[in-house]
Amino acid sequence: MVFINGDKLMRVCAAVLAAGVLFTSPAITRWSTLQMVPNADMLPGGRFVADADLAWELRDGFDVVSPISVQRLHLGLSEWVGCDIGYAGGFMLGVKALLLKDDPQLWYVPTLSLGFQNIYTSREAFYAGRGAGYPRDEFFITAAKSSDWAKLRGHIGFLSAATRTSDADLFNFFFGFEKYFGRGMYITLEGQQRTREFLLSFFIVYRPIPDRLEFNVGVIDAPGMLEGVSKSNVFRPELRAGIKFNLGGGFNGFDGLTGVEDRIDRQRGFITALEKRVDSLTTELSWNADRIHELAGFPDERREDRARIMDELTTLRNLYDQEPFDPELVKDMIERVRDRYEMFAPHLRVIITEPEVDLRIRRIAVSLIGEMGDKAAANILISILNRFEEPALKIETIIALGKLKEPRARLVLLRLKDDQDGGVSFTAGEVYRTLFGAEDQAGPSMPVVEEDPLGNTVPERRLGR
């Protein structure tokens, strides 16, 4: 057996920490979902993750009242150095340092970390029900890279046990994959080699509070559960369930302890929030300006015209509801409205903006605007699609914009093609294809940024951002 005394081990750990401080590139920090194998990601300085789990043996019978338990505390000393302390049948220690940051623009530049784990006591030995002779005091190097498109992050590396019984544990490789499915749900697949045997584990991870709380459940040594698989001398199949709390405010709020990229990322988030507020205020301002413009054209003597037009719209609504329906009567009345375009148009532009007016009346007014070809109302129609949520009103407004052949409706129609209401999405798709289909076939004339309609942003900076 190979031994390393405590003083030598502490000097090696200090060297690992120094490597992180001296050689690291400023990197975006992240809370990994991997459970069993080392990960390349770092906690922000001032953050710590409390981790507790229960494990039940599966191969020789399941005893729900007799689990084993491991508790750990992961400390982020800074964004490039961290350490772990825990208890797995005995005191356990680990350290980790960051050497290289992941560059999302360069596929060949990963996150690269090194460290020690299972110092004094091995967590894996505790899970396997073994003590003396199991490899511990393990040095590791791990690299990680993300695919934003696939919402996938992969880790790969090797372990070398300083305290080991044979050269079989001089070089043990491992890997881990994190797949994000949205709504805080992950699946991890983790494999590692020990004493020339391979351990494969599978976990489901759920984070109801993305940056604070995690529940996980999975199987350690999943193949060992299958009938006919020989019993391993190194592992035993176990069901494991755990909970993690990500606590602390983080020292990275102080720029002196924050990497350049973290600072840029924070500013980008702040700018994005401001842009959303500006967009909202711009839409509101445009809406109010359009309404003020239309209302400004109503001297007192025209208030009586408004009442007469509301009466005619009510009559037209009743004709639509009449049984049996007479399309000729409806057609004749629409023709009379079209003949009085100059009188009707200003009133219709205001009526469609008033939520207190009956929805059917507003829909008819929108339809008449399309029939009359009132291009001056295009701004109001586009604002309706951005402001109101009634599907029936949206559908009528989309049809009216199609009749007006309004080119400024391109982006709003493109967004509504993915609307949750089937009628709205179908109508938007048909009108968009009619107005802009030929342009799209010839090649887009402008870049279009599509957003996720469900808002499924990944709560991890390295997955999906």
Side-chain angles (χ1 to χ4, degrees), residues 159-218:
L159 292 161
S160 181
T163 304
R164 60 185 185 272
T165 57
S166 71
D167 290 340
D169 290 304
L170 180 61
F171 183 92
N172 287 324
F173 77 93
F174 64 85
F175 67 83
F177 292 99
E178 308 172 69
K179 170 63 180 173
Y180 181 67
F181 291 92
R183 309 295 187 188
M185 186 66 68
Y186 297 78
I187 286 181
T188 76
L189 182 66
E190 307 173 40
Q192 56 182 301
Q193 185 181 21
R194 303 273 177 169
T195 317
R196 295 194 176 95
E197 294 193 27
F198 188 72
L199 172 67
L200 187 66
S201 303
F202 173 84
F203 289 88
I204 297 173
V205 178
Y206 176 56
R207 291 181 170 176
I209 306 176
D211 195 36
R212 292 297 181 182
L213 178 62
E214 172 189 304
F215 298 100
N216 57 76
V217 63

Side-chain angles (χ1 to χ4, degrees), residues 30-42 51 53 72 74 84 95-96 113 115-118 123-124 127 134 138-144 153-159 172-178 187-194 197-203 205 207 214 216 219-221 235 240 244:
R30 182 178 173 272
W31 178 23
S32 176
T33 59
L34 294 184
Q35 307 297 319
M36 294 294 294
V37 301
N39 65 80
D41 300 318
M42 306 297 296
D51 175 4
D53 61 66
R72 292 189 298 170
H74 311 268
D84 300 341
V95 293
K96 183 168 65 173
S113 300
F116 267 88
Q117 69 169 15
N118 291 333
R123 178 180 60 146
E124 285 72 17
Y127 282 136
Y134 205 92
E138 295 169 311
F139 171 77
F140 66 85
I141 293 180
T142 176
R153 184 159 175 81
H155 303 250
I156 189 169
F158 76 88
L159 292 161
N172 287 324
F173 77 93
F174 64 85
F175 67 83
F177 292 99
E178 308 172 69
I187 286 181
T188 76
L189 182 66
E190 307 173 40
Q192 56 182 301
Q193 185 181 21
R194 303 273 177 169
E197 294 193 27
F198 188 72
L199 172 67
L200 187 66
S201 303
F202 173 84
F203 289 88
V205 178
R207 291 181 170 176
E214 172 189 304
N216 57 76
V219 176
I220 301 173
D221 188 20
F235 316 117
R240 204 202 76 165
K244 295 182 181 180

Side-chain angles (χ1 to χ4, degrees), residues 103-118:
D103 189 337
Q105 306 303 319
L106 301 175
W107 64 268
Y108 51 84
V109 179
T111 298
L112 184 64
S113 300
L114 60 80
F116 267 88
Q117 69 169 15
N118 291 333

Side-chain angles (χ1 to χ4, degrees), residues 115-344:
F116 267 88
Q117 69 169 15
N118 291 333
I119 300 174
Y120 299 122
T121 302
S122 170
R123 178 180 60 146
E124 285 72 17
F126 187 60
Y127 282 136
R130 297 184 60 192
Y134 205 92
R136 60 181 178 84
D137 301 333
E138 295 169 311
F139 171 77
F140 66 85
I141 293 180
T142 176
K145 193 69 179 175
S146 292
S147 168
D148 292 345
W149 172 79
K151 301 287 191 295
L152 181 71
R153 184 159 175 81
H155 303 250
I156 189 169
F158 76 88
L159 292 161
S160 181
T163 304
R164 60 185 185 272
T165 57
S166 71
D167 290 340
D169 290 304
L170 180 61
F171 183 92
N172 287 324
F173 77 93
F174 64 85
F175 67 83
F177 292 99
E178 308 172 69
K179 170 63 180 173
Y180 181 67
F181 291 92
R183 309 295 187 188
M185 186 66 68
Y186 297 78
I187 286 181
T188 76
L189 182 66
E190 307 173 40
Q192 56 182 301
Q193 185 181 21
R194 303 273 177 169
T195 317
R196 295 194 176 95
E197 294 193 27
F198 188 72
L199 172 67
L200 187 66
S201 303
F202 173 84
F203 289 88
I204 297 173
V205 178
Y206 176 56
R207 291 181 170 176
I209 306 176
D211 195 36
R212 292 297 181 182
L213 178 62
E214 172 189 304
F215 298 100
N216 57 76
V217 63
V219 176
I220 301 173
D221 188 20
M225 297 174 55
L226 303 177
E227 184 178 356
V229 175
S230 61
K231 291 188 176 182
S232 168
N233 294 319
V234 183
F235 316 117
R236 61 182 181 185
E238 291 181 306
L239 173 67
R240 204 202 76 165
I243 185 172
K244 295 182 181 180
F245 297 93
N246 190 355
L247 306 172
F251 297 141
N252 285 358
F254 299 104
D255 285 346
L257 294 176
T258 306
V260 173
E261 192 168 336
D262 265 355
R263 275 179 269 174
I264 292 174
D265 186 73
R266 188 172 66 234
Q267 291 301 319
R268 283 175 177 167
F270 182 63
I271 291 171
T272 299
L274 290 179
E275 285 176 344
K276 290 181 179 179
R277 293 187 61 186
V278 170
D279 290 344
S280 175
L281 291 173
T282 300
T283 301
E284 188 74 19
L285 182 62
S286 174
W287 174 262
N288 290 330
D290 289 337
R291 288 208 69 199
I292 291 171
H293 174 75
E294 300 301 338
L295 290 170
F298 284 89
D300 290 340
E301 59 268 20
R302 299 191 63 183
R303 304 294 174 185
E304 295 180 2
D305 292 341
R306 164 70 178 273
R308 286 197 297 271
I309 289 172
M310 284 295 296
D311 289 340
E312 296 202 37
L313 292 176
T314 302
T315 301
L316 185 55
R317 180 194 63 185
N318 294 335
L319 289 177
Y320 277 113
D321 293 338
Q322 181 177 280
E323 294 291 343
F325 175 70
D326 190 340
E328 291 300 323
L329 286 177
V330 172
K331 182 179 178 181
D332 290 343
M333 188 162 188
I334 291 176
E335 289 295 333
R336 290 199 300 272
V337 171
R338 185 183 288 111
D339 292 339
R340 292 177 290 171
Y341 165 78
E342 295 295 336
M343 181 184 77
F344 265 77

